[in-house]
């Protein structure tokens, strides 16, 4: 069995299919892990969801910010924006089935010695706390509180974690860490506006993975989200997967056993 991780697909199904052909991916024996953002911006959001769902137990993903945005629109909380390209999902006869499947994907998972998350893990959380908080939000998404979650999901405040946070504020900041984070301070304070490359941080901030006392630094983390990283090495035990496929770059696939990388435009 081989296990491959793939970067942000964002509705770009053709490059994914070519990558899987390149490594002779067999869903009967192999696994594919995704760092989230299965949909939006690209041309084939519907086909991407259908393909990933069809892989059954050979496919695992976490939720990215674009996936959550699709779910919020489907809940009637937001209208699609001018740059959104998931209208085909909302109009599909199997929309309900696909979105229910998407809702049951986690914000983070651990397998084979790796932690998989969309944006990253803030320096203030270790492995156990991150997994616990991710599971907390997943539970909210799957019960009667889901509409309340999406109603309050958008926003940058609070921008710092506190154990005393409750309700929508708590859910929002947890979700922002896992799905939107790039730069933060060592106490976890987020800057959610800056999207530049990691060598141009706002004053007083660093990329989340550059904080020397980061609590999860001993754990292998596979993540996406930050296209400006261009997939370049960013430190020990860190595996950046977003190589900007939607912005003209390639899509990245990694064999998690060998570390070999494959790319496809």
């Amino acid at each position: 069995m081989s296990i491959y991780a793939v970067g942000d697909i964002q509705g770009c199904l053709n490059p994914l299919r070519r990558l899987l052909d390149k490594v002779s991916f067999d869903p009967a024996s192999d696994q594919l892990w995704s760092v989230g953002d299965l949909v939006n911006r690209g041309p084939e959001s519907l086909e991407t969801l259908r393909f990933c769902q069809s892989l059954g137990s050979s496919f695992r993903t976490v939720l990215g910010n674009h996936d959550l945005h699709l779910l919020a629109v489907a809940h009637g909380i937001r209208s699609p924006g001018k740059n959104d390209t998931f209208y085909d999902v909302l109009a599909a006869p199997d929309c309900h089935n696909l979105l229910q499947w998407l809702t049951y994907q986690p914000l983070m998972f651990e397998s084979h010695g790796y932690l998989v998350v969309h944006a990253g893990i803030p320096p203030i959380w270790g492995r156990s706390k991150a997994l616990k908080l991710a599971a907390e939000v997943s539970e909210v998404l799957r019960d009667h509180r889901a509409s309340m979650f999406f109603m309050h999901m958008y926003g940058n405040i609070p921008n710092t974690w506190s154990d005393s946070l409750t309700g929508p504020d708590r859910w929002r900041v947890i979700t922002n860490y896992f799905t939107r984070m790039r730069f933060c301070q060592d106490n976890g304070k987020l800057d959610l506006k800056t999207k530049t490359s990691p060598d141009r941080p706002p004053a007083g901030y660093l990329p989340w993975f550059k904080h020397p006392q980061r609590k999860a630094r001993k754990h292998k983390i596979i993540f996406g989200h930050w296209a400006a990283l261009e997939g370049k090495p960013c430190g020990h035990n860190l595996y950046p997967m977003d190589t900007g496929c939607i912005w003209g770059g390639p899509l990245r696939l990694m064999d998690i056993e060998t570390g070999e990388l494959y790319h496809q435009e």
Side-chain angles (χ1 to χ4, degrees):
M1 180 183 80
S2 295
I3 302 176
Y4 301 96
V6 66
D8 303 40
I9 303 168
Q10 294 195 243
C12 296
L13 182 57
N14 284 334
L16 174 61
R17 286 187 181 277
R18 291 195 293 270
L19 273 176
L20 295 180
D21 287 345
K22 189 178 291 188
V23 298
S24 300
F25 179 82
D26 181 359
S29 57
D30 300 332
Q31 279 194 359
L32 178 63
W33 297 352
S34 164
V35 296
D37 276 3
L38 301 180
V39 300
N40 212 14
R41 301 295 191 262
E44 296 177 294
S45 289
L46 175 59
E47 290 82 358
T48 298
L49 286 179
R50 285 173 172 167
F51 175 76
C52 293
Q53 185 189 42
S54 75
L55 295 177
S57 60
S58 10
F59 180 76
R60 299 186 71 178
T61 189
V62 295
L63 292 171
N65 53 302
H66 285 285
D67 306 315
L68 288 169
H69 177 55
L70 168 60
L71 291 171
V73 170
H75 274 256
I77 305 303
R78 284 281 179 106
S79 298
K82 60 182 177 65
N83 295 320
D84 291 330
T85 62
F86 47 57
Y87 295 87
D88 53 351
V89 178
L90 299 171
D94 52 346
C95 175
H96 176 76
N97 176 267
L98 290 169
L99 296 187
Q100 185 176 45
W101 171 81
L102 190 62
T103 299
Y104 273 79
Q105 307 311 313
L107 286 176
M108 177 180 174
F109 71 80
E110 179 179 36
S111 186
H112 290 74
Y114 289 88
L115 300 173
V116 181
V117 66
H118 181 60
I121 301 173
I124 54 173
W125 295 346
R127 165 194 163 276
S128 296
K129 185 156 192 172
L131 285 167
K132 180 180 178 181
L133 294 174
E136 182 179 322
V137 171
S138 291
E139 184 178 343
V140 172
L141 285 170
R142 298 166 190 173
D143 67 23
H144 66 279
R145 296 169 291 176
S147 289
M148 182 183 294
F149 170 88
F150 288 117
M151 190 178 300
H152 297 278
M153 181 180 74
Y154 298 93
N156 298 344
I157 302 297
N159 59 13
T160 309
W161 171 252
S162 169
D163 288 329
S164 65
L165 288 168
T166 61
D169 282 350
R170 181 181 178 93
W171 309 334
R172 186 185 313 113
V173 72
I174 293 171
T175 303
N176 282 343
Y177 280 125
F178 284 130
T179 67
R180 296 179 60 208
M181 176 176 63
R182 293 181 179 90
F183 296 103
C184 67
Q185 296 182 354
D186 58 5
N187 67 350
K189 184 178 181 181
L190 288 163
D191 178 314
L192 291 169
K193 295 181 179 179
T194 308
K195 300 181 180 182
T196 58
S197 61
D199 57 350
R200 296 172 56 196
Y205 291 80
L206 288 173
W208 64 268
F209 49 78
K210 288 292 187 182
H211 291 279
Q213 300 306 313
R214 185 169 57 85
K215 290 186 176 181
R217 64 188 180 279
K218 295 182 180 179
H219 299 280
K220 297 178 180 179
I221 302 174
I222 297 174
F223 66 99
H225 182 60
W226 201 344
L229 285 176
E230 299 178 340
K232 294 175 182 176
C234 55
H236 181 61
N237 283 341
L238 295 165
Y239 302 87
M241 297 300 297
D242 188 357
T243 43
C245 180
I246 195 58
W247 307 114
L251 185 64
R252 169 172 287 184
L253 194 73
M254 180 180 77
D255 184 321
I256 72 157
E257 183 177 355
T258 66
E260 187 171 0
L261 298 174
Y262 303 87
H263 296 93
Q264 181 68 55
E265 294 185 358

